[in-house]
Amino acid sequence: MALGFSAKGTENIIDALDINPRIITCAKRVGFLSAWQFLRSSEGELQQRLGLSAADIDQLLNAVTSHLLSKSVTAWEMSEGQNPEMTHITTGCRELDEVLGGGVPVRGITEVAGESSSGKTQLALQLALHTQLPPHLGGLGKGVAYICTESQFPVVRLQQLIETMLKRYPQGPKTYSDKILIHHIPDMDTLVDCVRYQLPRLISQRQIGLVIIDSIAAAFRAEDATEVNKTIPLQTLGYRLHQLAFYHKMAVVAINQVAATVQSRNLYDITGDITPALGLSWSNLITTRLLLRRTNHTIKSQQAMSLPSKMHSSTERTSELRKNVAVEYRLRKLEVVFSPWLERKLATFIVTEKGIECE
């Protein structure tokens, strides 16, 4: 396994970089010698400080990140370096964990695709919290990098889930929000740059066990570029995520949208009128594809509700009465579309105020 970024970040690496000597000379002239100095600066700042072109800076940053990460390895070396027992992050739902072989794997890229309101962000938030649990409770005891590309981050819902976690796992962390590092990304280029440069720097500073991109499609769909022009950034993104996941033993979860299709059965044998976005280029980059769907079925459940009741005395005060109220929850399903180590299965679940729960 590679040395951690924190061990290499402050070393003098400039002479070890395989780049044009002219670039090295410019970096030395202004005292830029360590990876930390390069990665904490934006590309614009580096161009100004070093007096180099954008192409030179891109070459320099590629060389720095390649130096920090271990060199390419063969499939045999990867298999030899893996533990026989794969590590997982629990979803917090036993039935889903069983279908997934123990939870979301700490290996490769796991895509969670689905239509609107199918539970994608809900699952992402739940994984962000369970990652912080100690290993004996199904977590990693580490933090989370949450890259948000869509609407505002659901802070209120996260806080609601944190309250549930504190009650469910009294022996777990005393606080959860401090270890969820949120970064908003507006477009495709910024997302790729974030994963190439900023994410490695974050890993060097914090113990990160899970990276979530919510969602991968939003950043690419917002671009006016042709599909051909999107392929290279998409492949660069996938390669970097795989590289970081492997060398730092992290899980990577990419939330994806779906698109309508006229076919009743597509390339991956998904029945119905939807298919995950970004096409074959992205499908070939992911390791595991999970598909979430809403069904037409509902489940009735009794839920305790707090009802205010006025009680009159010398001073008027308010108390609370607890009353069971029948609530209907939409039944959802999670399907394993493909994975190297999982058979094709599905499980059903509901989303309540406490999070994802199985029947």
mmCIF file of all heavy atoms in Angstrom, residues 91 93 95-101 103-104 110-114 118-120 122-124 127 253 288-295 331-338 342-350 356-359:
data_model
loop_
_atom_site.group_PDB
_atom_site.id
_atom_site.type_symbol
_atom_site.label_atom_id
_atom_site.label_comp_id
_atom_site.label_asym_id
_atom_site.label_seq_id
_atom_site.Cartn_x
_atom_site.Cartn_y
_atom_site.Cartn_z
ATOM 1 N N THR A 91 -25.661 -0.551 5.923
ATOM 2 C CA THR A 91 -26.677 0.420 5.522
ATOM 3 C C THR A 91 -27.588 0.782 6.688
ATOM 4 O O THR A 91 -28.386 1.710 6.586
ATOM 5 C CB THR A 91 -27.533 -0.143 4.388
ATOM 6 O OG1 THR A 91 -28.233 -1.320 4.866
ATOM 7 C CG2 THR A 91 -26.687 -0.509 3.184
ATOM 8 N N CYS A 93 -29.756 -1.376 7.732
ATOM 9 C CA CYS A 93 -30.933 -2.218 7.496
ATOM 10 C C CYS A 93 -30.448 -3.640 7.215
ATOM 11 O O CYS A 93 -29.728 -3.866 6.242
ATOM 12 C CB CYS A 93 -31.735 -1.666 6.315
ATOM 13 S SG CYS A 93 -33.173 -2.656 5.871
ATOM 14 N N GLU A 95 -31.808 -6.438 6.110
ATOM 15 C CA GLU A 95 -32.170 -7.089 4.850
ATOM 16 C C GLU A 95 -31.357 -6.534 3.674
ATOM 17 O O GLU A 95 -30.936 -7.287 2.795
ATOM 18 C CB GLU A 95 -33.669 -6.922 4.580
ATOM 19 C CG GLU A 95 -34.568 -7.786 5.462
ATOM 20 C CD GLU A 95 -34.784 -7.201 6.848
ATOM 21 O OE1 GLU A 95 -34.162 -6.135 7.138
ATOM 22 O OE2 GLU A 95 -35.544 -7.777 7.638
ATOM 23 N N LEU A 96 -31.134 -5.233 3.659
ATOM 24 C CA LEU A 96 -30.312 -4.652 2.594
ATOM 25 C C LEU A 96 -28.868 -5.137 2.710
ATOM 26 O O LEU A 96 -28.220 -5.433 1.699
ATOM 27 C CB LEU A 96 -30.358 -3.124 2.647
ATOM 28 C CG LEU A 96 -31.694 -2.448 2.354
ATOM 29 C CD1 LEU A 96 -31.500 -0.940 2.248
ATOM 30 C CD2 LEU A 96 -32.336 -2.986 1.091
ATOM 31 N N ASP A 97 -28.360 -5.205 3.921
ATOM 32 C CA ASP A 97 -26.993 -5.689 4.122
ATOM 33 C C ASP A 97 -26.832 -7.118 3.621
ATOM 34 O O ASP A 97 -25.804 -7.484 3.039
ATOM 35 C CB ASP A 97 -26.613 -5.620 5.606
ATOM 36 C CG ASP A 97 -26.306 -4.200 6.056
ATOM 37 O OD1 ASP A 97 -26.200 -3.315 5.196
ATOM 38 O OD2 ASP A 97 -26.180 -3.977 7.281
ATOM 39 N N GLU A 98 -27.847 -7.946 3.839
ATOM 40 C CA GLU A 98 -27.779 -9.340 3.386
ATOM 41 C C GLU A 98 -27.709 -9.413 1.862
ATOM 42 O O GLU A 98 -26.937 -10.194 1.300
ATOM 43 C CB GLU A 98 -28.991 -10.115 3.906
ATOM 44 C CG GLU A 98 -28.949 -10.374 5.411
ATOM 45 C CD GLU A 98 -30.188 -11.115 5.898
ATOM 46 O OE1 GLU A 98 -31.101 -11.359 5.074
ATOM 47 O OE2 GLU A 98 -30.240 -11.450 7.098
ATOM 48 N N VAL A 99 -28.507 -8.613 1.180
ATOM 49 C CA VAL A 99 -28.490 -8.600 -0.278
ATOM 50 C C VAL A 99 -27.144 -8.106 -0.800
ATOM 51 O O VAL A 99 -26.633 -8.583 -1.824
ATOM 52 C CB VAL A 99 -29.638 -7.718 -0.817
ATOM 53 C CG1 VAL A 99 -29.470 -7.453 -2.313
ATOM 54 C CG2 VAL A 99 -30.982 -8.377 -0.553
ATOM 55 N N LEU A 100 -26.527 -7.164 -0.082
ATOM 56 C CA LEU A 100 -25.254 -6.573 -0.510
ATOM 57 C C LEU A 100 -24.038 -7.329 0.022
ATOM 58 O O LEU A 100 -22.904 -6.872 -0.172
ATOM 59 C CB LEU A 100 -25.187 -5.115 -0.042
ATOM 60 C CG LEU A 100 -26.266 -4.185 -0.610
ATOM 61 C CD1 LEU A 100 -26.159 -2.807 0.018
ATOM 62 C CD2 LEU A 100 -26.153 -4.102 -2.120
ATOM 63 N N GLY A 101 -24.253 -8.447 0.673
ATOM 64 C CA GLY A 101 -23.136 -9.237 1.166
ATOM 65 C C GLY A 101 -22.483 -8.646 2.403
ATOM 66 O O GLY A 101 -21.321 -8.933 2.688
ATOM 67 N N GLY A 103 -23.194 -5.100 3.284
ATOM 68 C CA GLY A 103 -23.294 -3.646 3.204
ATOM 69 C C GLY A 103 -22.613 -3.137 1.942
ATOM 70 O O GLY A 103 -22.307 -3.908 1.033
ATOM 71 N N VAL A 104 -22.364 -1.848 1.882
ATOM 72 C CA VAL A 104 -21.669 -1.257 0.733
ATOM 73 C C VAL A 104 -20.190 -1.599 0.822
ATOM 74 O O VAL A 104 -19.555 -1.358 1.854
ATOM 75 C CB VAL A 104 -21.869 0.271 0.713
ATOM 76 C CG1 VAL A 104 -20.975 0.913 -0.337
ATOM 77 C CG2 VAL A 104 -23.325 0.600 0.438
ATOM 78 N N THR A 110 -19.285 2.168 -6.156
ATOM 79 C CA THR A 110 -20.651 1.669 -6.070
ATOM 80 C C THR A 110 -21.594 2.760 -6.545
ATOM 81 O O THR A 110 -21.621 3.853 -5.983
ATOM 82 C CB THR A 110 -21.016 1.268 -4.627
ATOM 83 O OG1 THR A 110 -20.145 0.224 -4.190
ATOM 84 C CG2 THR A 110 -22.459 0.790 -4.548
ATOM 85 N N GLU A 111 -22.336 2.479 -7.603
ATOM 86 C CA GLU A 111 -23.321 3.433 -8.107
ATOM 87 C C GLU A 111 -24.682 3.116 -7.518
ATOM 88 O O GLU A 111 -25.091 1.952 -7.457
ATOM 89 C CB GLU A 111 -23.397 3.362 -9.631
ATOM 90 C CG GLU A 111 -24.445 4.314 -10.220
ATOM 91 C CD GLU A 111 -24.863 3.915 -11.624
ATOM 92 O OE1 GLU A 111 -25.573 2.888 -11.778
ATOM 93 O OE2 GLU A 111 -24.481 4.613 -12.564
ATOM 94 N N VAL A 112 -25.374 4.161 -7.070
ATOM 95 C CA VAL A 112 -26.759 4.036 -6.620
ATOM 96 C C VAL A 112 -27.602 4.876 -7.561
ATOM 97 O O VAL A 112 -27.580 6.107 -7.511
ATOM 98 C CB VAL A 112 -26.933 4.511 -5.167
ATOM 99 C CG1 VAL A 112 -28.393 4.376 -4.739
ATOM 100 C CG2 VAL A 112 -26.040 3.708 -4.229
ATOM 101 N N ALA A 113 -28.312 4.212 -8.465
ATOM 102 C CA ALA A 113 -29.118 4.902 -9.469
ATOM 103 C C ALA A 113 -30.591 4.780 -9.124
ATOM 104 O O ALA A 113 -31.013 3.842 -8.441
ATOM 105 C CB ALA A 113 -28.852 4.325 -10.860
ATOM 106 N N GLY A 114 -31.361 5.733 -9.610
ATOM 107 C CA GLY A 114 -32.791 5.665 -9.353
ATOM 108 C C GLY A 114 -33.485 6.953 -9.749
ATOM 109 O O GLY A 114 -32.859 7.999 -9.900
ATOM 110 N N SER A 118 -36.727 8.046 -5.010
ATOM 111 C CA SER A 118 -36.595 6.595 -4.830
ATOM 112 C C SER A 118 -35.788 6.248 -3.579
ATOM 113 O O SER A 118 -35.742 5.088 -3.173
ATOM 114 C CB SER A 118 -35.937 5.963 -6.065
ATOM 115 O OG SER A 118 -34.656 6.532 -6.296
ATOM 116 N N GLY A 119 -35.127 7.235 -2.975
ATOM 117 C CA GLY A 119 -34.380 6.985 -1.743
ATOM 118 C C GLY A 119 -32.875 7.076 -1.890
ATOM 119 O O GLY A 119 -32.138 6.659 -0.994
ATOM 120 N N LYS A 120 -32.377 7.635 -2.996
ATOM 121 C CA LYS A 120 -30.935 7.666 -3.252
ATOM 122 C C LYS A 120 -30.192 8.521 -2.221
ATOM 123 O O LYS A 120 -29.234 8.055 -1.595
ATOM 124 C CB LYS A 120 -30.665 8.215 -4.665
ATOM 125 C CG LYS A 120 -31.331 7.458 -5.787
ATOM 126 C CD LYS A 120 -30.915 7.960 -7.144
ATOM 127 C CE LYS A 120 -31.273 9.418 -7.388
ATOM 128 N NZ LYS A 120 -32.733 9.665 -7.397
ATOM 129 N N GLN A 122 -31.321 9.575 0.585
ATOM 130 C CA GLN A 122 -31.579 8.998 1.906
ATOM 131 C C GLN A 122 -30.557 7.919 2.227
ATOM 132 O O GLN A 122 -29.988 7.885 3.326
ATOM 133 C CB GLN A 122 -32.985 8.391 1.933
ATOM 134 C CG GLN A 122 -33.293 7.602 3.188
ATOM 135 C CD GLN A 122 -33.312 8.471 4.428
ATOM 136 O OE1 GLN A 122 -33.985 9.489 4.465
ATOM 137 N NE2 GLN A 122 -32.572 8.082 5.446
ATOM 138 N N LEU A 123 -30.287 7.036 1.271
ATOM 139 C CA LEU A 123 -29.291 5.988 1.477
ATOM 140 C C LEU A 123 -27.906 6.586 1.648
ATOM 141 O O LEU A 123 -27.116 6.133 2.484
ATOM 142 C CB LEU A 123 -29.308 5.009 0.307
ATOM 143 C CG LEU A 123 -28.307 3.847 0.357
ATOM 144 C CD1 LEU A 123 -28.513 3.006 1.614
ATOM 145 C CD2 LEU A 123 -28.412 2.974 -0.896
ATOM 146 N N ALA A 124 -27.599 7.618 0.874
ATOM 147 C CA ALA A 124 -26.292 8.270 0.975
ATOM 148 C C ALA A 124 -26.082 8.877 2.359
ATOM 149 O O ALA A 124 -25.014 8.737 2.968
ATOM 150 C CB ALA A 124 -26.150 9.341 -0.103
ATOM 151 N N LEU A 127 -25.502 6.124 4.915
ATOM 152 C CA LEU A 127 -24.144 5.591 4.823
ATOM 153 C C LEU A 127 -23.128 6.565 5.422
ATOM 154 O O LEU A 127 -22.158 6.146 6.067
ATOM 155 C CB LEU A 127 -23.795 5.303 3.365
ATOM 156 C CG LEU A 127 -24.483 4.103 2.718
ATOM 157 C CD1 LEU A 127 -24.231 4.094 1.212
ATOM 158 C CD2 LEU A 127 -24.007 2.800 3.345
ATOM 159 N N VAL A 253 -19.215 6.021 -3.263
ATOM 160 C CA VAL A 253 -20.611 5.867 -3.671
ATOM 161 C C VAL A 253 -20.973 7.027 -4.585
ATOM 162 O O VAL A 253 -20.839 8.198 -4.205
ATOM 163 C CB VAL A 253 -21.553 5.840 -2.450
ATOM 164 C CG1 VAL A 253 -23.015 5.873 -2.900
ATOM 165 C CG2 VAL A 253 -21.294 4.591 -1.614
ATOM 166 N N THR A 288 -19.996 -1.749 -8.955
ATOM 167 C CA THR A 288 -21.292 -2.287 -8.532
ATOM 168 C C THR A 288 -22.375 -1.289 -8.884
ATOM 169 O O THR A 288 -22.217 -0.088 -8.642
ATOM 170 C CB THR A 288 -21.310 -2.549 -7.011
ATOM 171 O OG1 THR A 288 -20.319 -3.527 -6.684
ATOM 172 C CG2 THR A 288 -22.674 -3.039 -6.551
ATOM 173 N N ARG A 289 -23.461 -1.770 -9.476
ATOM 174 C CA ARG A 289 -24.604 -0.900 -9.781
ATOM 175 C C ARG A 289 -25.812 -1.357 -8.977
ATOM 176 O O ARG A 289 -26.234 -2.518 -9.060
ATOM 177 C CB ARG A 289 -24.921 -0.915 -11.263
ATOM 178 C CG ARG A 289 -26.287 -0.299 -11.629
ATOM 179 C CD ARG A 289 -26.402 -0.028 -13.108
ATOM 180 N NE ARG A 289 -25.653 1.183 -13.475
ATOM 181 C CZ ARG A 289 -25.380 1.530 -14.732
ATOM 182 N NH1 ARG A 289 -25.747 0.739 -15.726
ATOM 183 N NH2 ARG A 289 -24.711 2.642 -14.978
ATOM 184 N N LEU A 290 -26.365 -0.422 -8.196
ATOM 185 C CA LEU A 290 -27.583 -0.670 -7.443
ATOM 186 C C LEU A 290 -28.675 0.230 -8.004
ATOM 187 O O LEU A 290 -28.430 1.410 -8.277
ATOM 188 C CB LEU A 290 -27.383 -0.369 -5.952
ATOM 189 C CG LEU A 290 -26.185 -1.043 -5.272
ATOM 190 C CD1 LEU A 290 -26.095 -0.596 -3.816
ATOM 191 C CD2 LEU A 290 -26.289 -2.558 -5.359
ATOM 192 N N LEU A 291 -29.857 -0.314 -8.173
ATOM 193 C CA LEU A 291 -30.975 0.449 -8.725
ATOM 194 C C LEU A 291 -32.082 0.529 -7.679
ATOM 195 O O LEU A 291 -32.543 -0.488 -7.161
ATOM 196 C CB LEU A 291 -31.497 -0.217 -9.997
ATOM 197 C CG LEU A 291 -32.632 0.513 -10.718
ATOM 198 C CD1 LEU A 291 -32.153 1.857 -11.264
ATOM 199 C CD2 LEU A 291 -33.181 -0.353 -11.859
ATOM 200 N N LEU A 292 -32.507 1.761 -7.364
ATOM 201 C CA LEU A 292 -33.605 1.985 -6.426
ATOM 202 C C LEU A 292 -34.849 2.385 -7.206
ATOM 203 O O LEU A 292 -34.774 3.166 -8.158
ATOM 204 C CB LEU A 292 -33.257 3.091 -5.430
ATOM 205 C CG LEU A 292 -32.006 2.912 -4.568
ATOM 206 C CD1 LEU A 292 -31.937 4.008 -3.517
ATOM 207 C CD2 LEU A 292 -31.975 1.550 -3.908
ATOM 208 N N ARG A 293 -35.986 1.865 -6.751
ATOM 209 C CA ARG A 293 -37.249 2.178 -7.422
ATOM 210 C C ARG A 293 -38.370 2.299 -6.411
ATOM 211 O O ARG A 293 -38.388 1.607 -5.394
ATOM 212 C CB ARG A 293 -37.620 1.083 -8.426
ATOM 213 C CG ARG A 293 -36.858 1.160 -9.741
ATOM 214 C CD ARG A 293 -37.305 0.062 -10.662
ATOM 215 N NE ARG A 293 -36.831 0.251 -12.016
ATOM 216 C CZ ARG A 293 -37.030 -0.620 -13.004
ATOM 217 N NH1 ARG A 293 -37.704 -1.726 -12.779
ATOM 218 N NH2 ARG A 293 -36.577 -0.377 -14.216
ATOM 219 N N ARG A 294 -39.317 3.184 -6.722
ATOM 220 C CA ARG A 294 -40.562 3.253 -5.966
ATOM 221 C C ARG A 294 -41.544 2.241 -6.554
ATOM 222 O O ARG A 294 -41.569 2.027 -7.763
ATOM 223 C CB ARG A 294 -41.177 4.653 -6.059
ATOM 224 C CG ARG A 294 -40.409 5.711 -5.297
ATOM 225 C CD ARG A 294 -40.829 7.089 -5.751
ATOM 226 N NE ARG A 294 -42.263 7.307 -5.615
ATOM 227 C CZ ARG A 294 -42.831 7.965 -4.613
ATOM 228 N NH1 ARG A 294 -42.066 8.490 -3.672
ATOM 229 N NH2 ARG A 294 -44.129 8.139 -4.549
ATOM 230 N N THR A 295 -42.334 1.634 -5.724
ATOM 231 C CA THR A 295 -43.367 0.726 -6.201
ATOM 232 C C THR A 295 -44.741 1.374 -6.017
ATOM 233 O O THR A 295 -44.853 2.466 -5.448
ATOM 234 C CB THR A 295 -43.328 -0.613 -5.443
ATOM 235 O OG1 THR A 295 -43.805 -0.408 -4.097
ATOM 236 C CG2 THR A 295 -41.903 -1.163 -5.389
ATOM 237 N N LEU A 331 -43.641 1.690 -0.545
ATOM 238 C CA LEU A 331 -42.673 0.602 -0.590
ATOM 239 C C LEU A 331 -41.676 0.843 -1.721
ATOM 240 O O LEU A 331 -42.054 1.156 -2.851
ATOM 241 C CB LEU A 331 -43.389 -0.736 -0.803
ATOM 242 C CG LEU A 331 -42.548 -2.006 -0.631
ATOM 243 C CD1 LEU A 331 -42.087 -2.159 0.810
ATOM 244 C CD2 LEU A 331 -43.346 -3.236 -1.057
ATOM 245 N N ARG A 332 -40.405 0.721 -1.408
ATOM 246 C CA ARG A 332 -39.338 0.884 -2.395
ATOM 247 C C ARG A 332 -38.549 -0.407 -2.495
ATOM 248 O O ARG A 332 -38.606 -1.241 -1.597
ATOM 249 C CB ARG A 332 -38.414 2.035 -1.995
ATOM 250 C CG ARG A 332 -39.081 3.405 -1.999
ATOM 251 C CD ARG A 332 -38.219 4.429 -1.283
ATOM 252 N NE ARG A 332 -38.643 5.794 -1.505
ATOM 253 C CZ ARG A 332 -39.586 6.422 -0.816
ATOM 254 N NH1 ARG A 332 -40.205 5.770 0.162
ATOM 255 N NH2 ARG A 332 -39.909 7.669 -1.079
ATOM 256 N N LYS A 333 -37.783 -0.539 -3.578
ATOM 257 C CA LYS A 333 -36.968 -1.741 -3.715
ATOM 258 C C LYS A 333 -35.563 -1.389 -4.186
ATOM 259 O O LYS A 333 -35.361 -0.438 -4.937
ATOM 260 C CB LYS A 333 -37.621 -2.752 -4.656
ATOM 261 C CG LYS A 333 -37.804 -2.287 -6.087
ATOM 262 C CD LYS A 333 -38.491 -3.371 -6.917
ATOM 263 C CE LYS A 333 -38.686 -2.934 -8.367
ATOM 264 N NZ LYS A 333 -39.343 -3.982 -9.179
ATOM 265 N N LEU A 334 -34.611 -2.143 -3.699
ATOM 266 C CA LEU A 334 -33.213 -2.036 -4.110
ATOM 267 C C LEU A 334 -32.846 -3.301 -4.856
ATOM 268 O O LEU A 334 -33.066 -4.406 -4.367
ATOM 269 C CB LEU A 334 -32.307 -1.836 -2.902
ATOM 270 C CG LEU A 334 -30.791 -1.788 -3.155
ATOM 271 C CD1 LEU A 334 -30.112 -0.861 -2.149
ATOM 272 C CD2 LEU A 334 -30.155 -3.174 -3.067
ATOM 273 N N GLU A 335 -32.271 -3.129 -6.051
ATOM 274 C CA GLU A 335 -31.875 -4.270 -6.876
ATOM 275 C C GLU A 335 -30.386 -4.200 -7.199
ATOM 276 O O GLU A 335 -29.871 -3.141 -7.553
ATOM 277 C CB GLU A 335 -32.677 -4.279 -8.173
ATOM 278 C CG GLU A 335 -32.330 -5.433 -9.102
ATOM 279 C CD GLU A 335 -33.109 -5.393 -10.406
ATOM 280 O OE1 GLU A 335 -33.877 -4.428 -10.617
ATOM 281 O OE2 GLU A 335 -32.940 -6.322 -11.217
ATOM 282 N N VAL A 336 -29.698 -5.322 -7.048
ATOM 283 C CA VAL A 336 -28.306 -5.429 -7.494
ATOM 284 C C VAL A 336 -28.335 -5.732 -8.985
ATOM 285 O O VAL A 336 -28.717 -6.822 -9.393
ATOM 286 C CB VAL A 336 -27.549 -6.536 -6.732
ATOM 287 C CG1 VAL A 336 -26.116 -6.647 -7.256
ATOM 288 C CG2 VAL A 336 -27.547 -6.266 -5.234
ATOM 289 N N VAL A 337 -27.939 -4.752 -9.810
ATOM 290 C CA VAL A 337 -27.966 -4.941 -11.261
ATOM 291 C C VAL A 337 -26.740 -5.720 -11.715
ATOM 292 O O VAL A 337 -26.844 -6.689 -12.466
ATOM 293 C CB VAL A 337 -28.038 -3.580 -11.991
ATOM 294 C CG1 VAL A 337 -28.031 -3.775 -13.504
ATOM 295 C CG2 VAL A 337 -29.290 -2.820 -11.562
ATOM 296 N N PHE A 338 -25.550 -5.304 -11.268
ATOM 297 C CA PHE A 338 -24.347 -6.094 -11.529
ATOM 298 C C PHE A 338 -23.293 -5.788 -10.470
ATOM 299 O O PHE A 338 -23.258 -4.715 -9.885
ATOM 300 C CB PHE A 338 -23.781 -5.862 -12.941
ATOM 301 C CG PHE A 338 -23.337 -4.457 -13.240
ATOM 302 C CD1 PHE A 338 -22.141 -3.952 -12.739
ATOM 303 C CD2 PHE A 338 -24.092 -3.642 -14.070
ATOM 304 C CE1 PHE A 338 -21.729 -2.662 -13.034
ATOM 305 C CE2 PHE A 338 -23.684 -2.350 -14.380
ATOM 306 C CZ PHE A 338 -22.496 -1.862 -13.849
ATOM 307 N N LEU A 342 -21.485 -10.239 -6.255
ATOM 308 C CA LEU A 342 -22.853 -10.405 -5.770
ATOM 309 C C LEU A 342 -23.736 -10.991 -6.856
ATOM 310 O O LEU A 342 -23.568 -10.682 -8.037
ATOM 311 C CB LEU A 342 -23.444 -9.054 -5.341
ATOM 312 C CG LEU A 342 -22.789 -8.335 -4.165
ATOM 313 C CD1 LEU A 342 -23.418 -6.955 -3.990
ATOM 314 C CD2 LEU A 342 -22.900 -9.141 -2.892
ATOM 315 N N GLU A 343 -24.651 -11.853 -6.457
ATOM 316 C CA GLU A 343 -25.636 -12.332 -7.416
ATOM 317 C C GLU A 343 -26.772 -11.315 -7.524
ATOM 318 O O GLU A 343 -26.926 -10.438 -6.664
ATOM 319 C CB GLU A 343 -26.195 -13.684 -6.976
ATOM 320 C CG GLU A 343 -26.850 -13.691 -5.615
ATOM 321 C CD GLU A 343 -27.367 -15.073 -5.246
ATOM 322 O OE1 GLU A 343 -28.150 -15.622 -6.055
ATOM 323 O OE2 GLU A 343 -26.987 -15.583 -4.187
ATOM 324 N N ARG A 344 -27.518 -11.419 -8.571
ATOM 325 C CA ARG A 344 -28.595 -10.459 -8.801
ATOM 326 C C ARG A 344 -29.744 -10.732 -7.840
ATOM 327 O O ARG A 344 -30.379 -11.788 -7.893
ATOM 328 C CB ARG A 344 -29.065 -10.536 -10.247
ATOM 329 C CG ARG A 344 -30.041 -9.441 -10.607
ATOM 330 C CD ARG A 344 -30.022 -9.141 -12.068
ATOM 331 N NE ARG A 344 -30.808 -7.966 -12.384
ATOM 332 C CZ ARG A 344 -30.801 -7.374 -13.563
ATOM 333 N NH1 ARG A 344 -30.046 -7.852 -14.534
ATOM 334 N NH2 ARG A 344 -31.540 -6.297 -13.783
ATOM 335 N N LYS A 345 -29.998 -9.777 -6.953
ATOM 336 C CA LYS A 345 -31.030 -9.924 -5.940
ATOM 337 C C LYS A 345 -31.733 -8.595 -5.757
ATOM 338 O O LYS A 345 -31.270 -7.560 -6.228
ATOM 339 C CB LYS A 345 -30.430 -10.360 -4.595
ATOM 340 C CG LYS A 345 -30.020 -11.803 -4.485
ATOM 341 C CD LYS A 345 -29.551 -12.081 -3.054
ATOM 342 C CE LYS A 345 -29.185 -13.532 -2.849
ATOM 343 N NZ LYS A 345 -28.763 -13.788 -1.447
ATOM 344 N N LEU A 346 -32.834 -8.626 -5.011
ATOM 345 C CA LEU A 346 -33.471 -7.373 -4.644
ATOM 346 C C LEU A 346 -34.057 -7.483 -3.257
ATOM 347 O O LEU A 346 -34.323 -8.577 -2.754
ATOM 348 C CB LEU A 346 -34.525 -6.944 -5.668
ATOM 349 C CG LEU A 346 -35.755 -7.816 -5.917
ATOM 350 C CD1 LEU A 346 -36.853 -7.524 -4.911
ATOM 351 C CD2 LEU A 346 -36.292 -7.567 -7.317
ATOM 352 N N ALA A 347 -34.231 -6.346 -2.621
ATOM 353 C CA ALA A 347 -34.828 -6.268 -1.291
ATOM 354 C C ALA A 347 -35.753 -5.064 -1.264
ATOM 355 O O ALA A 347 -35.568 -4.097 -2.013
ATOM 356 C CB ALA A 347 -33.747 -6.141 -0.225
ATOM 357 N N THR A 348 -36.774 -5.122 -0.431
ATOM 358 C CA THR A 348 -37.708 -4.011 -0.313
ATOM 359 C C THR A 348 -37.467 -3.264 0.990
ATOM 360 O O THR A 348 -36.978 -3.835 1.967
ATOM 361 C CB THR A 348 -39.161 -4.509 -0.370
ATOM 362 O OG1 THR A 348 -39.364 -5.494 0.651
ATOM 363 C CG2 THR A 348 -39.465 -5.105 -1.729
ATOM 364 N N PHE A 349 -37.822 -1.978 0.994
ATOM 365 C CA PHE A 349 -37.639 -1.165 2.190
ATOM 366 C C PHE A 349 -38.592 0.018 2.148
ATOM 367 O O PHE A 349 -39.228 0.299 1.121
ATOM 368 C CB PHE A 349 -36.191 -0.675 2.287
ATOM 369 C CG PHE A 349 -35.767 0.267 1.190
ATOM 370 C CD1 PHE A 349 -35.833 1.654 1.349
ATOM 371 C CD2 PHE A 349 -35.305 -0.230 -0.028
ATOM 372 C CE1 PHE A 349 -35.463 2.515 0.336
ATOM 373 C CE2 PHE A 349 -34.919 0.636 -1.054
ATOM 374 C CZ PHE A 349 -35.000 2.004 -0.873
ATOM 375 N N ILE A 350 -38.698 0.705 3.260
ATOM 376 C CA ILE A 350 -39.483 1.934 3.348
ATOM 377 C C ILE A 350 -38.587 3.021 3.940
ATOM 378 O O ILE A 350 -37.568 2.716 4.567
ATOM 379 C CB ILE A 350 -40.751 1.773 4.196
ATOM 380 C CG1 ILE A 350 -40.385 1.318 5.626
ATOM 381 C CG2 ILE A 350 -41.721 0.810 3.550
ATOM 382 C CD1 ILE A 350 -41.589 1.242 6.562
ATOM 383 N N ILE A 356 -33.990 4.567 6.599
ATOM 384 C CA ILE A 356 -34.346 3.380 5.826
ATOM 385 C C ILE A 356 -34.656 2.236 6.780
ATOM 386 O O ILE A 356 -33.845 1.898 7.638
ATOM 387 C CB ILE A 356 -33.220 2.987 4.862
ATOM 388 C CG1 ILE A 356 -33.156 3.994 3.718
ATOM 389 C CG2 ILE A 356 -33.431 1.578 4.312
ATOM 390 C CD1 ILE A 356 -32.057 3.707 2.721
ATOM 391 N N GLU A 357 -35.805 1.642 6.604
ATOM 392 C CA GLU A 357 -36.205 0.500 7.423
ATOM 393 C C GLU A 357 -36.767 -0.571 6.512
ATOM 394 O O GLU A 357 -37.408 -0.268 5.498
ATOM 395 C CB GLU A 357 -37.248 0.903 8.468
ATOM 396 C CG GLU A 357 -36.753 1.938 9.466
ATOM 397 C CD GLU A 357 -37.760 2.206 10.553
ATOM 398 O OE1 GLU A 357 -38.146 1.240 11.258
ATOM 399 O OE2 GLU A 357 -38.200 3.354 10.697
ATOM 400 N N CYS A 358 -36.528 -1.809 6.878
ATOM 401 C CA CYS A 358 -37.061 -2.937 6.094
ATOM 402 C C CYS A 358 -38.366 -3.396 6.715
ATOM 403 O O CYS A 358 -38.676 -3.089 7.861
ATOM 404 C CB CYS A 358 -36.048 -4.067 6.030
ATOM 405 S SG CYS A 358 -34.538 -3.598 5.144
ATOM 406 N N GLU A 359 -39.117 -4.123 5.918
ATOM 407 C CA GLU A 359 -40.450 -4.542 6.368
ATOM 408 C C GLU A 359 -40.371 -5.417 7.617
ATOM 409 O O GLU A 359 -39.491 -6.201 7.794
ATOM 410 C CB GLU A 359 -41.151 -5.331 5.260
ATOM 411 C CG GLU A 359 -41.373 -4.515 3.988
ATOM 412 C CD GLU A 359 -42.017 -5.354 2.918
ATOM 413 O OE1 GLU A 359 -43.222 -5.616 3.037
ATOM 414 O OE2 GLU A 359 -41.304 -5.794 1.997
#
